[in-house]
Amino acid sequence: MTRRTAILTSLRLANSFLSAQISSTRSLYPQVTRFSPTSVSHRSHFLDFKSTHPLLFFSSKPHSLLQFVLANDWSQDLENELETLNPTLTHETVVYVLKRLDKEPQKASGFFNWACGKNGFTQSSSIYSILLRIFVQNESMKQFWITLRVMKERGFYLDEETYLTMLGILRRAKKAADATALTHFYNRMLQENAMDSVVQKVVNIVLGSEWSSDVAENLEGLGIVLSDNFVIRALKELRNFPLKALSFFHWVGCRLDFDHNTVTYNAIARVLGRDDSIEAFWGVVDEMKNAGHEIDIDTYIKISRQFQRSKMMGEAVKLYELMMDGPYRPSLQDCSVLLRSISASDNPDLSLVFRVAKKYEATGYSLSKAIYDGIHRSLTSAGKFDEAENIVKSMRNAGYEPDNVTYSQLVFGLCKARRLEEACKLLDEMEAEGCIPDIKTWTILIQGHCTTNEVDKALVCFAKMIERNCDPDADLLDVLIDGFLGQRKLDGAYQLLIELVNKAHLRPWQATYKQLIEKLLEVRKLEEAITLLRLMKKQNYPPFSEPFVLYISKFGTVEDAADFLKVLSSKEYPSVSAYLHVFNSFFNEGRCSEAKDLLFKCPHHIRKHSEVCKLFGSAESKSTDATKSSSKPLEVGT
């Protein structure tokens, strides 16, 4: 049986569990008004985008420096040329260049080492953090460890956020030894850093009461030796109390022995960039600009992402406009991410979309395919299909042909507007235009049907997809499972997954397995749930035991528990902890007899294990009823 035939067979089996009858001969598409990006309305667009625009290069020093470094391999000749150019190396400039060298660790290292020897450049913990993230992401571990050691020797601090980010990268890359060594380094650094105790005293004083002259006097009494590192550390500890952090920041700025600089201004900006301190944030931004400092690009990215996560899209756009008017402009990718975030809301604010696009274009860039797609995504999501059509026309005039991304956005918008027949028809039009729908386009179409409870029609689309030689993946299976479950067709969902795994060799997401197992156990379909557990084990997913243990302890038999334990491990027997978990659950449900019966079915090494003996001995002493309920003597360890 071919893969395609197997999938179609699976579809028929799963479909039999749906109450709706699907005719294979009737047309899916009634007569509808034709909509296509190629049929362009000639009415005026409410925003006239230029179809062509010359690409202008920045004349500002940071960009010129970046372009020069990007265009050449790092060498002594390059360093000599840089010496001739003699660029101004501010904190913001170095951050700007390093952020754009995030995929080129050798060049980043060369540039940083060269910058360190220049007058006027002051190193900081934030710049070291950027450099460390570059090295760890590109698996340049020798440079990573050298930089970490140098950072510590020069008195700079590895903050918790950077540490956790790098630890996650190392673990995902399965670099267990490096991850362990990094943890040891970080913990040792905390223990050896005498600054910690002083920072904690400052934090306790600031948080102890509302800001007042008494608080300021108490801080003065500590005799603090202020430095950039110290201020950054204190601000990070106060980050959950942004207005108190700002009071501390202003107190530091009034000290005669310390002047705020770009490093400390960027640090307080990161703390204030949130909903409950947004007015203070913009006040500090104005203050730092008046003092001749700029938001560095790393700070911008972090604050912008925070605004986007908090759905503060207006603030994110305002910040984007501010940065685009300055010397450290966000990248095309940053712009695309912002447009995507705006489009992700249920009701995209189109005025924000066009503010971003206009600012991008006004600074000398021509609209790229990614920017056109970003505009188009919001328009289709908002149901503004005529305007979306005009954007596609402008995009064509600029030399960019619609592709799967463009069509997929339109399919999503049509499905969201419940214009499902038009969405289906659009895939035929795609092929006529020479753009073959990919798995993502099909998934969006099928998900659109499932979301509107049109699961029968979703299966028709699925069958059509298979006939066109497009194989399903785990994302699409998850969408279909959700669709079945949304119509309470649990058997259909189970059958579809089983068939696609066994016959089409699909590997579902772990989350898909978990969701279906939980639903099966809710209706006491233990056998089917254990079948899925076997499939998970076969596909090397970690054991998903908790819902089984809870179910078996309440409703299951001793035989159910024994069967479950056999499936749980890849070895002959599961671990002692697995047995203990089941025993404890039986005891917690008051089913001591079943716990004992299961014990006598266990292998000898489990029965004699000290923890098992201790558990049953404790249960025996607490409940004489449990002993009387069994005619067998409790002989653990024999």
Side-chain angles (χ1 to χ4, degrees), residues 36-40 51-52 369 372 389-403 406-407 429 433 435:
S36 167
T38 57
S39 57
V40 180
S51 59
T52 59
K369 173 66 164 57
Y372 278 116
E389 198 169 345
N390 284 328
I391 286 295
V392 172
K393 178 183 178 182
S394 297
M395 186 175 76
R396 286 182 184 274
N397 291 339
Y400 305 114
E401 287 300 315
D403 56 13
T406 313
Y407 282 107
E429 296 177 12
E433 290 287 330
C435 183

Side-chain angles (χ1 to χ4, degrees), residues 576 579-587 591-602 606-624 626-627 630 632-637:
V576 174
Y579 282 97
L580 285 169
H581 193 21
V582 175
F583 290 142
N584 269 311
S585 294
F586 271 132
F587 283 132
R591 302 180 69 187
C592 302
S593 177
E594 284 82 354
K596 293 177 189 178
D597 289 343
L598 177 61
L599 176 66
F600 285 101
K601 287 180 173 288
C602 292
I606 296 295
R607 293 202 305 273
K608 72 177 184 178
H609 193 277
S610 61
E611 289 297 320
V612 175
C613 294
K614 180 179 177 182
L615 174 64
F616 277 85
S618 174
E620 179 76 11
S621 65
K622 289 180 180 179
S623 176
T624 56
T627 303
S630 174
K632 299 176 183 179
L634 188 61
E635 299 176 353
V636 296

Side-chain angles (χ1 to χ4, degrees), residues 189-199 230 233:
M189 180 196 70
L190 293 180
Q191 293 169 2
E192 295 173 356
N193 198 326
M195 189 189 297
D196 260 358
S197 60
V198 183
V199 168
F230 186 91
R233 290 282 304 282

Side-chain angles (χ1 to χ4, degrees), residues 52-56 364-366:
T52 59
H53 196 295
L55 178 62
L56 303 178
Y365 289 114
S366 60

Side-chain angles (χ1 to χ4, degrees), residues 111 114 156 211 415 446 501 571:
F111 173 76
W114 172 78
F156 294 107
W211 189 268
C415 289
I446 291 168
V501 170
K571 301 177 182 178

Side-chain angles (χ1 to χ4, degrees), residues 59-123:
S59 59
S60 59
K61 290 182 179 180
H63 185 75
S64 299
L65 174 62
L66 173 63
Q67 292 299 99
F68 188 76
V69 173
L70 287 172
N72 297 277
D73 293 332
W74 196 266
S75 64
Q76 186 59 51
D77 289 341
L78 177 60
E79 290 192 18
N80 294 338
E81 288 290 337
L82 287 172
E83 294 291 343
T84 302
L85 292 172
N86 194 27
T88 302
L89 289 182
T90 64
H91 165 87
E92 301 98 311
T93 299
V94 174
V95 169
Y96 182 72
V97 174
L98 287 176
K99 288 294 288 184
R100 295 295 185 265
L101 296 176
D102 61 344
K103 299 294 189 295
E104 300 188 57
Q106 298 302 324
K107 192 173 289 188
S109 178
F111 173 76
F112 174 76
N113 290 332
W114 172 78
C116 286
K118 297 294 291 178
N119 291 331
F121 170 63
T122 303
Q123 300 171 39

Side-chain angles (χ1 to χ4, degrees), residues 1-63:
M1 180 183 292
T2 65
R3 177 180 172 85
R4 178 183 168 195
T5 304
I7 295 173
L8 289 172
T9 301
S10 305
L11 175 60
R12 284 193 292 272
L13 286 170
N15 193 23
S16 67
F17 289 91
L18 283 171
S19 57
Q21 297 297 316
I22 304 172
S23 170
S24 59
T25 57
R26 69 178 175 86
S27 171
L28 177 66
Y29 314 110
Q31 186 66 35
V32 295
T33 303
R34 186 173 184 274
F35 177 82
S36 167
T38 57
S39 57
V40 180
S41 168
H42 293 287
R43 69 179 182 80
S44 61
H45 194 282
F46 62 85
L47 180 64
D48 181 25
F49 280 101
K50 302 179 181 70
S51 59
T52 59
H53 196 295
L55 178 62
L56 303 178
F57 291 96
F58 297 113
S59 59
S60 59
K61 290 182 179 180
H63 185 75

